Short mmCIF file of all heavy atoms in Angstrom, two decimals:
data_model
loop_
_atom_site.label_atom_id
_atom_site.label_comp_id
_atom_site.label_asym_id
_atom_site.label_seq_id
_atom_site.Cartn_x
_atom_site.Cartn_y
_atom_site.Cartn_z
N PHE B 45 -1.95 14.61 -2.07
CA PHE B 45 -1.10 15.59 -1.39
C PHE B 45 -1.94 16.51 -0.52
O PHE B 45 -1.62 16.75 0.64
CB PHE B 45 -0.27 16.36 -2.42
CG PHE B 45 0.78 15.48 -3.03
CD1 PHE B 45 0.48 14.61 -4.07
CD2 PHE B 45 2.07 15.48 -2.53
CE1 PHE B 45 1.44 13.75 -4.60
CE2 PHE B 45 3.04 14.63 -3.05
CZ PHE B 45 2.72 13.77 -4.09
N THR B 46 -3.05 17.01 -1.07
CA THR B 46 -3.93 17.88 -0.29
C THR B 46 -4.59 17.11 0.85
O THR B 46 -4.68 17.59 1.98
CB THR B 46 -5.02 18.48 -1.20
OG1 THR B 46 -4.45 18.72 -2.48
CG2 THR B 46 -5.54 19.76 -0.65
N LEU B 47 -5.04 15.90 0.55
CA LEU B 47 -5.70 15.11 1.59
C LEU B 47 -4.73 14.77 2.72
O LEU B 47 -5.08 14.81 3.90
CB LEU B 47 -6.28 13.82 1.00
CG LEU B 47 -7.60 13.96 0.24
CD1 LEU B 47 -7.99 12.65 -0.40
CD2 LEU B 47 -8.72 14.44 1.17
N SER B 48 -3.48 14.43 2.36
CA SER B 48 -2.49 14.12 3.40
C SER B 48 -2.17 15.37 4.21
O SER B 48 -1.93 15.28 5.42
CB SER B 48 -1.21 13.56 2.76
OG SER B 48 -1.52 12.37 2.05
N ASN B 49 -2.19 16.54 3.56
CA ASN B 49 -2.02 17.79 4.31
C ASN B 49 -3.11 17.93 5.37
O ASN B 49 -2.84 18.33 6.50
CB ASN B 49 -2.08 19.00 3.37
CG ASN B 49 -0.82 19.15 2.53
OD1 ASN B 49 0.20 18.54 2.81
ND2 ASN B 49 -0.91 19.96 1.50
N CYS B 50 -4.33 17.59 4.98
CA CYS B 50 -5.45 17.66 5.94
C CYS B 50 -5.20 16.72 7.11
O CYS B 50 -5.35 17.10 8.27
CB CYS B 50 -6.77 17.28 5.25
SG CYS B 50 -7.37 18.54 4.10
N THR B 51 -4.79 15.49 6.80
CA THR B 51 -4.52 14.51 7.86
C THR B 51 -3.46 15.05 8.81
O THR B 51 -3.63 15.02 10.03
CB THR B 51 -3.99 13.19 7.23
OG1 THR B 51 -4.85 12.83 6.18
CG2 THR B 51 -3.92 12.08 8.27
N HIS B 52 -2.35 15.54 8.25
CA HIS B 52 -1.25 16.01 9.09
C HIS B 52 -1.61 17.30 9.83
O HIS B 52 -0.97 17.64 10.82
CB HIS B 52 0.01 16.23 8.25
CG HIS B 52 0.61 14.94 7.75
ND1 HIS B 52 1.07 13.96 8.58
CD2 HIS B 52 0.79 14.47 6.49
CE1 HIS B 52 1.52 12.94 7.87
NE2 HIS B 52 1.36 13.21 6.60
N SER B 53 -2.61 18.01 9.35
CA SER B 53 -3.03 19.24 10.02
C SER B 53 -4.13 18.98 11.06
O SER B 53 -4.65 19.91 11.65
CB SER B 53 -3.54 20.26 9.01
OG SER B 53 -2.59 20.50 8.00
N GLY B 54 -4.51 17.71 11.19
CA GLY B 54 -5.51 17.36 12.19
C GLY B 54 -6.93 17.73 11.80
O GLY B 54 -7.78 17.91 12.66
N ILE B 55 -7.21 17.82 10.51
CA ILE B 55 -8.58 18.12 10.06
C ILE B 55 -9.34 16.80 9.91
O ILE B 55 -8.86 15.90 9.23
CB ILE B 55 -8.55 18.87 8.71
CG1 ILE B 55 -7.84 20.21 8.90
CG2 ILE B 55 -9.96 19.07 8.17
CD1 ILE B 55 -7.59 20.97 7.62
N ASP B 56 -10.49 16.69 10.57
CA ASP B 56 -11.19 15.40 10.52
C ASP B 56 -12.49 15.46 9.72
O ASP B 56 -13.23 14.50 9.65
CB ASP B 56 -11.46 14.88 11.93
CG ASP B 56 -12.37 15.79 12.72
OD1 ASP B 56 -12.87 16.78 12.15
OD2 ASP B 56 -12.58 15.52 13.92
N THR B 57 -12.78 16.62 9.12
CA THR B 57 -13.99 16.72 8.30
C THR B 57 -13.63 17.39 6.97
O THR B 57 -13.21 18.54 6.95
CB THR B 57 -15.07 17.55 9.02
OG1 THR B 57 -15.25 17.00 10.32
CG2 THR B 57 -16.38 17.51 8.27
N VAL B 58 -13.77 16.63 5.90
CA VAL B 58 -13.40 17.15 4.58
C VAL B 58 -14.55 16.89 3.61
O VAL B 58 -15.01 15.75 3.48
CB VAL B 58 -12.12 16.46 4.05
CG1 VAL B 58 -11.75 17.00 2.67
CG2 VAL B 58 -10.95 16.64 5.01
N GLY B 59 -15.03 17.94 2.97
CA GLY B 59 -16.01 17.78 1.91
C GLY B 59 -15.29 17.89 0.58
O GLY B 59 -14.53 18.84 0.35
N ILE B 60 -15.49 16.91 -0.29
CA ILE B 60 -14.81 16.94 -1.59
C ILE B 60 -15.85 17.29 -2.65
O ILE B 60 -16.80 16.55 -2.87
CB ILE B 60 -14.12 15.60 -1.90
CG1 ILE B 60 -13.08 15.31 -0.80
CG2 ILE B 60 -13.46 15.64 -3.28
CD1 ILE B 60 -12.27 14.07 -1.03
N LEU B 61 -15.68 18.46 -3.29
CA LEU B 61 -16.64 18.95 -4.27
C LEU B 61 -16.26 18.42 -5.64
O LEU B 61 -15.21 18.75 -6.18
CB LEU B 61 -16.61 20.48 -4.26
CG LEU B 61 -16.99 21.02 -2.87
CD1 LEU B 61 -16.16 22.22 -2.51
CD2 LEU B 61 -18.46 21.31 -2.79
N THR B 62 -17.11 17.55 -6.17
CA THR B 62 -16.79 16.91 -7.45
C THR B 62 -17.82 17.31 -8.49
O THR B 62 -18.95 17.64 -8.16
CB THR B 62 -16.81 15.38 -7.33
OG1 THR B 62 -18.12 14.98 -6.94
CG2 THR B 62 -15.82 14.89 -6.31
N GLN B 63 -17.43 17.25 -9.72
CA GLN B 63 -18.38 17.55 -10.79
C GLN B 63 -18.00 16.77 -12.05
O GLN B 63 -18.77 15.98 -12.55
CB GLN B 63 -18.40 19.05 -11.09
CG GLN B 63 -19.30 19.46 -12.22
CD GLN B 63 -19.85 20.85 -12.01
OE1 GLN B 63 -20.74 21.05 -11.20
NE2 GLN B 63 -19.32 21.82 -12.73
N TYR B 64 -16.78 16.98 -12.54
CA TYR B 64 -16.38 16.35 -13.80
C TYR B 64 -15.92 14.91 -13.55
O TYR B 64 -15.04 14.68 -12.71
CB TYR B 64 -15.25 17.16 -14.44
CG TYR B 64 -14.69 16.56 -15.70
CD1 TYR B 64 -15.36 16.69 -16.90
CD2 TYR B 64 -13.50 15.83 -15.67
CE1 TYR B 64 -14.86 16.12 -18.05
CE2 TYR B 64 -12.99 15.26 -16.82
CZ TYR B 64 -13.67 15.40 -18.01
OH TYR B 64 -13.18 14.83 -19.15
N ARG B 65 -16.52 13.96 -14.22
CA ARG B 65 -16.13 12.55 -14.18
C ARG B 65 -15.71 12.09 -12.78
O ARG B 65 -14.54 11.78 -12.54
CB ARG B 65 -14.97 12.31 -15.14
CG ARG B 65 -15.39 12.43 -16.59
CD ARG B 65 -14.84 11.29 -17.39
NE ARG B 65 -15.28 11.38 -18.76
CZ ARG B 65 -15.87 10.36 -19.38
NH1 ARG B 65 -16.08 9.23 -18.75
NH2 ARG B 65 -16.25 10.49 -20.63
N PRO B 66 -16.64 12.05 -11.84
CA PRO B 66 -16.24 11.78 -10.47
C PRO B 66 -16.09 10.30 -10.11
O PRO B 66 -15.68 9.99 -9.00
CB PRO B 66 -17.40 12.39 -9.67
CG PRO B 66 -18.57 12.22 -10.56
CD PRO B 66 -18.07 12.29 -11.97
N HIS B 67 -16.41 9.38 -11.01
CA HIS B 67 -16.55 7.98 -10.59
C HIS B 67 -15.28 7.41 -10.02
O HIS B 67 -15.25 6.78 -8.98
CB HIS B 67 -17.05 7.13 -11.77
CG HIS B 67 -18.31 7.66 -12.33
ND1 HIS B 67 -18.35 8.38 -13.49
CD2 HIS B 67 -19.55 7.64 -11.83
CE1 HIS B 67 -19.59 8.77 -13.71
NE2 HIS B 67 -20.34 8.34 -12.72
N LEU B 68 -14.16 7.63 -10.74
CA LEU B 68 -12.91 7.08 -10.26
C LEU B 68 -12.53 7.69 -8.92
O LEU B 68 -12.11 7.01 -8.00
CB LEU B 68 -11.82 7.32 -11.30
CG LEU B 68 -10.56 6.50 -11.04
CD1 LEU B 68 -9.96 6.06 -12.36
CD2 LEU B 68 -9.52 7.29 -10.27
N LEU B 69 -12.77 9.00 -8.82
CA LEU B 69 -12.45 9.69 -7.58
C LEU B 69 -13.30 9.16 -6.43
O LEU B 69 -12.81 8.90 -5.33
CB LEU B 69 -12.69 11.19 -7.78
CG LEU B 69 -11.89 12.16 -6.92
CD1 LEU B 69 -10.40 11.90 -7.03
CD2 LEU B 69 -12.19 13.59 -7.35
N ASN B 70 -14.58 8.94 -6.70
CA ASN B 70 -15.48 8.39 -5.67
C ASN B 70 -14.96 7.07 -5.14
O ASN B 70 -14.87 6.86 -3.93
CB ASN B 70 -16.89 8.16 -6.23
CG ASN B 70 -17.64 9.45 -6.42
OD1 ASN B 70 -17.27 10.48 -5.86
ND2 ASN B 70 -18.70 9.40 -7.20
N SER B 71 -14.62 6.17 -6.05
CA SER B 71 -14.21 4.85 -5.58
C SER B 71 -12.82 4.92 -4.96
O SER B 71 -12.51 4.18 -4.04
CB SER B 71 -14.27 3.82 -6.71
OG SER B 71 -13.23 4.05 -7.62
N TYR B 72 -12.00 5.83 -5.45
CA TYR B 72 -10.65 5.96 -4.89
C TYR B 72 -10.69 6.48 -3.44
O TYR B 72 -10.02 5.96 -2.56
CB TYR B 72 -9.81 6.91 -5.75
CG TYR B 72 -8.38 7.06 -5.27
CD1 TYR B 72 -7.49 5.99 -5.36
CD2 TYR B 72 -7.94 8.24 -4.70
CE1 TYR B 72 -6.19 6.12 -4.91
CE2 TYR B 72 -6.64 8.37 -4.25
CZ TYR B 72 -5.77 7.30 -4.36
OH TYR B 72 -4.49 7.43 -3.91
N ILE B 73 -11.50 7.49 -3.21
CA ILE B 73 -11.58 8.08 -1.87
C ILE B 73 -12.30 7.12 -0.90
O ILE B 73 -11.88 6.96 0.24
CB ILE B 73 -12.32 9.44 -1.89
CG1 ILE B 73 -11.62 10.42 -2.84
CG2 ILE B 73 -12.44 10.03 -0.49
CD1 ILE B 73 -10.25 10.87 -2.45
N GLY B 74 -13.33 6.45 -1.40
CA GLY B 74 -14.05 5.49 -0.57
C GLY B 74 -14.48 6.10 0.75
O GLY B 74 -15.05 7.19 0.79
N ASN B 75 -14.19 5.40 1.84
CA ASN B 75 -14.57 5.94 3.15
C ASN B 75 -13.43 6.77 3.75
O ASN B 75 -13.46 7.14 4.91
CB ASN B 75 -15.00 4.83 4.10
CG ASN B 75 -13.84 3.91 4.47
OD1 ASN B 75 -12.74 4.03 3.94
ND2 ASN B 75 -14.07 3.00 5.38
N GLY B 76 -12.39 7.04 2.96
CA GLY B 76 -11.32 7.92 3.40
C GLY B 76 -10.30 7.28 4.32
O GLY B 76 -9.46 7.97 4.89
N ARG B 77 -10.33 5.96 4.42
CA ARG B 77 -9.47 5.30 5.39
C ARG B 77 -7.97 5.57 5.21
O ARG B 77 -7.27 5.81 6.19
CB ARG B 77 -9.74 3.79 5.36
CG ARG B 77 -8.93 3.05 6.40
CD ARG B 77 -9.15 1.55 6.29
NE ARG B 77 -8.09 0.87 7.02
CZ ARG B 77 -8.22 0.45 8.25
NH1 ARG B 77 -9.34 0.61 8.89
NH2 ARG B 77 -7.21 -0.16 8.86
N PRO B 78 -7.43 5.56 3.97
CA PRO B 78 -5.99 5.80 3.86
C PRO B 78 -5.55 7.13 4.45
O PRO B 78 -4.40 7.29 4.84
CB PRO B 78 -5.73 5.77 2.35
CG PRO B 78 -6.85 4.97 1.78
CD PRO B 78 -8.03 5.26 2.66
N TRP B 79 -6.47 8.09 4.53
CA TRP B 79 -6.12 9.42 5.04
C TRP B 79 -6.65 9.63 6.45
O TRP B 79 -6.81 10.76 6.91
CB TRP B 79 -6.66 10.49 4.09
CG TRP B 79 -6.21 10.25 2.69
CD1 TRP B 79 -5.03 10.67 2.12
CD2 TRP B 79 -6.87 9.49 1.69
NE1 TRP B 79 -4.95 10.20 0.84
CE2 TRP B 79 -6.06 9.47 0.54
CE3 TRP B 79 -8.08 8.79 1.64
CZ2 TRP B 79 -6.40 8.81 -0.63
CZ3 TRP B 79 -8.43 8.12 0.48
CH2 TRP B 79 -7.61 8.14 -0.64
N ASP B 80 -6.97 8.51 7.13
CA ASP B 80 -7.53 8.57 8.48
C ASP B 80 -8.83 9.35 8.52
O ASP B 80 -9.15 9.98 9.53
CB ASP B 80 -6.54 9.24 9.45
CG ASP B 80 -5.65 8.21 10.11
OD1 ASP B 80 -5.95 7.01 9.97
OD2 ASP B 80 -4.68 8.60 10.76
N LEU B 81 -9.57 9.34 7.43
CA LEU B 81 -10.80 10.11 7.40
C LEU B 81 -12.04 9.22 7.54
O LEU B 81 -13.16 9.64 7.23
CB LEU B 81 -10.88 10.94 6.11
CG LEU B 81 -9.93 12.15 6.07
CD1 LEU B 81 -9.89 12.77 4.69
CD2 LEU B 81 -10.35 13.21 7.09
N ASP B 82 -11.85 7.98 8.01
CA ASP B 82 -13.03 7.16 8.29
C ASP B 82 -13.40 7.37 9.75
O ASP B 82 -13.08 6.59 10.62
CB ASP B 82 -12.76 5.68 7.98
CG ASP B 82 -11.54 5.12 8.67
OD1 ASP B 82 -10.63 5.91 9.02
OD2 ASP B 82 -11.47 3.90 8.89
N ARG B 83 -14.07 8.50 9.99
CA ARG B 83 -14.37 8.91 11.36
C ARG B 83 -15.84 8.66 11.71
O ARG B 83 -16.70 8.66 10.84
CB ARG B 83 -14.08 10.41 11.52
CG ARG B 83 -12.66 10.82 11.24
CD ARG B 83 -11.70 10.10 12.16
NE ARG B 83 -10.34 10.51 11.87
CZ ARG B 83 -9.72 11.50 12.50
NH1 ARG B 83 -10.32 12.16 13.45
NH2 ARG B 83 -8.48 11.81 12.19
N ASN B 84 -16.07 8.49 13.02
CA ASN B 84 -17.46 8.37 13.48
C ASN B 84 -18.20 9.67 13.27
O ASN B 84 -19.36 9.69 12.91
CB ASN B 84 -17.50 7.97 14.95
CG ASN B 84 -17.08 6.54 15.13
OD1 ASN B 84 -17.13 5.75 14.19
ND2 ASN B 84 -16.64 6.19 16.32
N LYS B 85 -17.52 10.78 13.57
CA LYS B 85 -18.14 12.08 13.34
C LYS B 85 -17.29 12.84 12.35
O LYS B 85 -16.10 13.02 12.57
CB LYS B 85 -18.21 12.87 14.66
CG LYS B 85 -19.29 12.34 15.57
CD LYS B 85 -19.41 13.15 16.82
CE LYS B 85 -20.53 12.59 17.69
NZ LYS B 85 -20.39 12.99 19.07
N GLY B 86 -17.90 13.31 11.29
CA GLY B 86 -17.12 14.02 10.28
C GLY B 86 -16.61 13.03 9.25
O GLY B 86 -17.38 12.28 8.68
N GLY B 87 -15.30 13.04 9.01
CA GLY B 87 -14.74 12.17 7.99
C GLY B 87 -14.85 12.82 6.63
O GLY B 87 -14.93 14.05 6.51
N VAL B 88 -14.87 11.98 5.59
CA VAL B 88 -14.87 12.53 4.24
C VAL B 88 -16.26 12.40 3.63
O VAL B 88 -16.95 11.40 3.84
CB VAL B 88 -13.79 11.84 3.37
CG1 VAL B 88 -14.12 10.38 3.11
CG2 VAL B 88 -13.57 12.58 2.08
N SER B 89 -16.70 13.42 2.92
CA SER B 89 -17.99 13.38 2.21
C SER B 89 -17.76 13.82 0.78
O SER B 89 -17.16 14.86 0.54
CB SER B 89 -18.99 14.34 2.85
OG SER B 89 -19.19 14.05 4.21
N MET B 90 -18.26 13.04 -0.16
CA MET B 90 -18.20 13.45 -1.56
C MET B 90 -19.42 14.34 -1.82
O MET B 90 -20.55 13.97 -1.48
CB MET B 90 -18.25 12.23 -2.48
CG MET B 90 -17.15 11.21 -2.26
SD MET B 90 -15.47 11.88 -2.32
CE MET B 90 -15.22 11.99 -4.08
N LEU B 91 -19.18 15.50 -2.41
CA LEU B 91 -20.27 16.46 -2.59
C LEU B 91 -20.43 16.85 -4.06
O LEU B 91 -19.91 17.86 -4.51
CB LEU B 91 -20.00 17.71 -1.74
CG LEU B 91 -19.82 17.49 -0.24
CD1 LEU B 91 -19.36 18.77 0.44
CD2 LEU B 91 -21.10 17.00 0.40
N PRO B 92 -21.12 16.04 -4.83
CA PRO B 92 -21.42 16.41 -6.22
C PRO B 92 -22.62 17.36 -6.24
O PRO B 92 -23.31 17.47 -5.24
CB PRO B 92 -21.77 15.09 -6.87
CG PRO B 92 -22.32 14.25 -5.76
CD PRO B 92 -21.69 14.74 -4.48
N PRO B 93 -22.91 18.05 -7.36
CA PRO B 93 -24.11 18.87 -7.44
C PRO B 93 -25.34 17.99 -7.21
O PRO B 93 -25.31 16.79 -7.52
CB PRO B 93 -24.09 19.39 -8.87
CG PRO B 93 -22.70 19.18 -9.36
CD PRO B 93 -22.16 18.02 -8.62
N TYR B 94 -26.37 18.55 -6.66
CA TYR B 94 -27.55 17.73 -6.32
C TYR B 94 -28.83 18.49 -6.63
O TYR B 94 -28.81 19.70 -6.90
CB TYR B 94 -27.51 17.35 -4.85
CG TYR B 94 -27.54 18.55 -3.92
CD1 TYR B 94 -28.75 19.05 -3.44
CD2 TYR B 94 -26.36 19.21 -3.57
CE1 TYR B 94 -28.78 20.17 -2.62
CE2 TYR B 94 -26.40 20.33 -2.76
CZ TYR B 94 -27.61 20.81 -2.29
OH TYR B 94 -27.64 21.91 -1.51
N GLN B 95 -29.95 17.78 -6.57
CA GLN B 95 -31.26 18.38 -6.79
C GLN B 95 -31.94 18.63 -5.45
O GLN B 95 -31.91 17.77 -4.57
CB GLN B 95 -32.15 17.41 -7.59
CG GLN B 95 -31.65 17.14 -8.99
CD GLN B 95 -32.10 18.18 -9.98
OE1 GLN B 95 -33.25 18.63 -9.94
NE2 GLN B 95 -31.21 18.59 -10.87
N GLY B 96 -32.57 19.81 -5.30
CA GLY B 96 -33.39 20.07 -4.12
C GLY B 96 -34.83 20.23 -4.59
O GLY B 96 -35.14 19.95 -5.75
N LYS B 97 -35.73 20.69 -3.71
CA LYS B 97 -37.13 20.77 -4.13
C LYS B 97 -37.35 21.88 -5.16
O LYS B 97 -38.29 21.86 -5.92
CB LYS B 97 -38.07 20.91 -2.94
CG LYS B 97 -38.12 22.26 -2.25
CD LYS B 97 -39.14 22.14 -1.11
CE LYS B 97 -39.45 23.41 -0.36
NZ LYS B 97 -38.46 24.44 -0.25
N ASP B 98 -36.42 22.82 -5.21
CA ASP B 98 -36.51 23.86 -6.24
C ASP B 98 -35.57 23.58 -7.41
O ASP B 98 -35.07 24.49 -8.07
CB ASP B 98 -36.17 25.24 -5.64
CG ASP B 98 -37.08 25.57 -4.48
OD1 ASP B 98 -38.29 25.28 -4.59
OD2 ASP B 98 -36.58 26.10 -3.47
N GLY B 99 -35.30 22.31 -7.63
CA GLY B 99 -34.40 21.96 -8.72
C GLY B 99 -32.95 22.00 -8.26
O GLY B 99 -32.66 22.04 -7.07
N GLY B 100 -32.05 21.98 -9.22
CA GLY B 100 -30.63 21.99 -8.88
C GLY B 100 -29.85 22.41 -10.09
O GLY B 100 -30.42 22.60 -11.18
N GLU B 101 -28.58 22.62 -9.93
CA GLU B 101 -27.79 23.03 -11.09
C GLU B 101 -26.34 22.63 -10.90
O GLU B 101 -25.91 22.27 -9.82
CB GLU B 101 -27.90 24.56 -11.30
CG GLU B 101 -27.50 25.33 -10.06
CD GLU B 101 -27.66 26.83 -10.23
OE1 GLU B 101 -27.82 27.28 -11.37
OE2 GLU B 101 -27.60 27.54 -9.22
#
Side-chain angles (χ1 to χ4, degrees):
Chain B
F45 290 81
T46 324
L47 281 175
S48 300
N49 286 345
C50 288
T51 311
H52 291 298
S53 305
I55 297 172
D56 63 5
T57 307
V58 179
I60 301 184
L61 300 141
T62 61
Q63 177 149 285
Y64 176 79
R65 291 226 178 232
H67 305 102
L68 193 143
L69 207 54
N70 286 343
S71 72
Y72 182 69
I73 303 293
N75 67 355
R77 183 184 164 97
W79 306 274
D80 268 349
L81 287 170
D82 54 336
R83 301 300 180 93
N84 288 338
K85 285 183 179 159
V88 68
S89 303
M90 302 306 281
L91 303 171
Y94 61 92
Q95 296 275 319
K97 75 180 186 331
D98 303 319
E101 55 183 346

